[in-house]
Amino acid sequence: MTQHRKLVVLVVLPDSRLLTMAGPADVFSFAQSMLAAQKGPNFQSYELVVASALPGNHIRMNSAADLLVTTSLLDIKRPIDTLIITGHNLPKNDPDTDRFYRWLQRKAPSIRRVASVCVATYVLARAGLLHNKCATTHWERYEHFQQTFPDVKVDTTPFFIKDGNIYTAGGVTSGLDLALAMVEEDYGRDLALQIARKLVIHLKRPGNQKQFGSLLPDYELNSNLVLQLRPWIMEHIAEDLPVDRLATQVHMSARNFARVFLKETGITPAKFIEKIRVELARNYLENSSLALEEIALKCGLGGLVSMRRTFLRHLEMSPGTYRSTFRTVLATD
């Protein structure tokens, strides 16, 4: 039986970011060249094609550059092994856009892997490919995406998610994480690790998308109780803040306060206080040279052991790792 190369098609939509396409393209290109060097030039690994979603070969990018491709997705007749989509801006009420979505709905079940990078998750959802599936997208889009597609089980914590033959990556650089995972899936950890080293990136990045965004979205911060309490909370953040003490500040019973707070914010008062403490600690870690133990005490996180547990629970990384990753170049005391 003749072995064929795995056809990997990167579909670039108008206004895509270059890195959403270039990152995965480099990963698969490195895999192709490394496998040829290790197993011989005739080894059938990947064949990479960059294609437009619509007819034509000129794509206006959202990175002060235009992209010229050799083909349109709709013109590819060979079986596709892996389809990766970047971007999400397609003309509305356009026959070519309708053709693209019909093609995606018809072909996706027969493609081994169908993936999106960043906001291209919207494309898969609009095509109906994420119905009742788990998916991720850029952390800033959580609320809008969930409201737009309530049938999708969206989680913007992971860098990428696999559900069946559908793969979704979070932010722009998550396309690199996803492509490395796909290479590992096909040819093993050693090859994926070699590529990561070539690109000077982690094979598996520490933490998750939450380390890049706020733990407290706007809908939590804008509740009436939060607006009343937050200034007082920040003044007393190093102290013990049980529910009854918070309730006293807004002249409510502890039971009624807890009920109303949960209804307005979607989280308990204790979880809210914990998130505020983590956000404050992140600020100290990024912008100061304070010792970790001192930061833990100033933020009401107990000792260093307690702060470490809390950071691992929320960000999947330790305070020390967070500081080394995100600390400003000119940090001051």
Side-chain angles (χ1 to χ4, degrees):
M1 181 176 176
T2 304
Q3 182 188 13
H4 297 285
R5 293 185 184 274
K6 296 177 177 65
L7 181 59
V8 178
V9 178
L10 284 167
V11 182
V12 184
L13 275 63
D15 294 325
S16 294
R17 295 286 178 185
L18 277 174
L19 190 54
T20 58
M21 177 277 297
D26 279 346
V27 169
F28 286 107
S29 294
F30 269 124
Q32 187 177 16
S33 61
M34 288 179 177
L35 286 167
Q38 294 169 11
K39 300 177 180 293
N42 295 322
F43 182 77
Q44 303 295 302
S45 57
Y46 295 114
E47 178 184 352
L48 181 64
V49 172
V50 180
S52 61
L54 307 176
N57 62 354
H58 177 267
I59 305 170
R60 176 60 57 85
M61 305 295 286
N62 193 358
S63 303
D66 290 354
L67 187 67
L68 290 177
V69 297
T70 58
T71 187
S72 162
L73 174 67
L74 303 177
D75 293 330
I76 296 175
K77 306 303 180 185
R78 292 176 294 152
I80 297 173
D81 176 84
T82 300
L83 180 71
I84 302 175
I85 300 172
T86 72
H88 74 118
N89 286 334
L90 285 169
K92 295 181 180 179
N93 303 316
D94 182 276
D96 289 327
T97 297
D98 294 340
R99 283 181 61 205
F100 167 75
Y101 277 111
R102 286 198 301 272
W103 186 99
L104 201 53
Q105 291 163 350
R106 187 173 69 254
K107 297 286 189 179
S110 63
I111 298 174
R112 183 166 70 102
R113 296 185 296 215
V114 177
S116 64
V117 178
C118 199
V119 292
T121 315
Y122 283 80
V123 174
L124 299 186
R126 289 189 183 113
L129 303 183
L130 296 180
H131 180 64
N132 286 336
K133 287 188 176 290
C134 297
T136 191
T137 189
H138 193 285
W139 58 267
E140 286 185 316
R141 297 296 188 106
Y142 172 80
E143 275 189 80
H144 182 266
F145 188 92
Q146 191 65 90
Q147 290 170 1
T148 307
F149 303 105
D151 61 317
V152 181
K153 302 166 188 174
V154 62
D155 179 4
T156 54
T157 300
F159 290 119
F160 61 86
I161 287 177
K162 172 186 177 182
D163 192 335
N165 75 322
I166 304 295
Y167 298 64
T168 52
V172 171
T173 58
S174 298
L176 282 161
D177 301 291
L178 177 58
L180 284 169
M182 288 177 167
V183 170
E184 183 177 6
E185 194 173 57
D186 292 340
Y187 295 107
R189 181 180 181 277
D190 286 348
L191 179 64
L193 183 57
Q194 290 177 49
I195 297 169
R197 286 172 173 165
K198 281 273 192 183
L199 293 169
V200 198
I201 59 176
H202 292 284
L203 175 58
K204 184 180 186 301
R205 269 194 285 179
N208 53 50
Q209 285 203 92
K210 285 185 178 179
Q211 64 190 275
F212 298 98
S214 173
L215 295 178
L216 291 163
D218 289 342
Y219 65 86
E220 291 179 7
L221 292 175
N222 291 333
S223 100
N224 289 329
L225 284 178
V226 169
L227 291 174
Q228 291 180 65
L229 274 172
R230 193 171 187 192
W232 181 88
I233 288 172
M234 297 308 294
E235 290 180 10
H236 299 83
I237 197 67
E239 304 167 16
D240 188 23
L241 297 176
V243 171
D244 56 352
R245 190 176 178 194
L246 297 173
T248 298
Q249 299 305 311
V250 288
H251 311 292
M252 296 173 69
S253 69
R255 183 176 180 180
N256 189 44
F257 172 82
R259 180 184 62 79
V260 174
F261 194 96
L262 179 63
K263 182 178 180 181
E264 287 190 1
T265 67
I267 60 174
T268 64
K271 185 63 67 176
F272 178 80
I273 295 296
E274 185 174 87
K275 285 185 174 184
I276 282 188
R277 286 174 166 152
V278 172
E279 288 296 312
L280 184 59
R282 289 170 70 177
N283 184 62
Y284 281 125
L285 291 168
E286 292 172 15
N287 300 298
S288 82
S289 298
L290 294 175
L292 298 183
E293 187 75 33
E294 187 175 355
I295 292 173
L297 294 174
K298 286 175 73 72
C299 298
L301 287 167
L304 184 54
V305 173
S306 176
M307 181 167 74
R308 177 183 170 81
R309 282 200 303 264
T310 305
F311 263 65
L312 289 172
R313 184 165 62 252
H314 285 282
L315 304 176
E316 295 183 11
M317 63 196 318
S318 69
T321 301
Y322 185 90
R323 167 169 271 174
S324 65
T325 304
F326 292 100
R327 188 178 179 188
T328 56
V329 176
L330 298 175
T332 59
D333 290 333

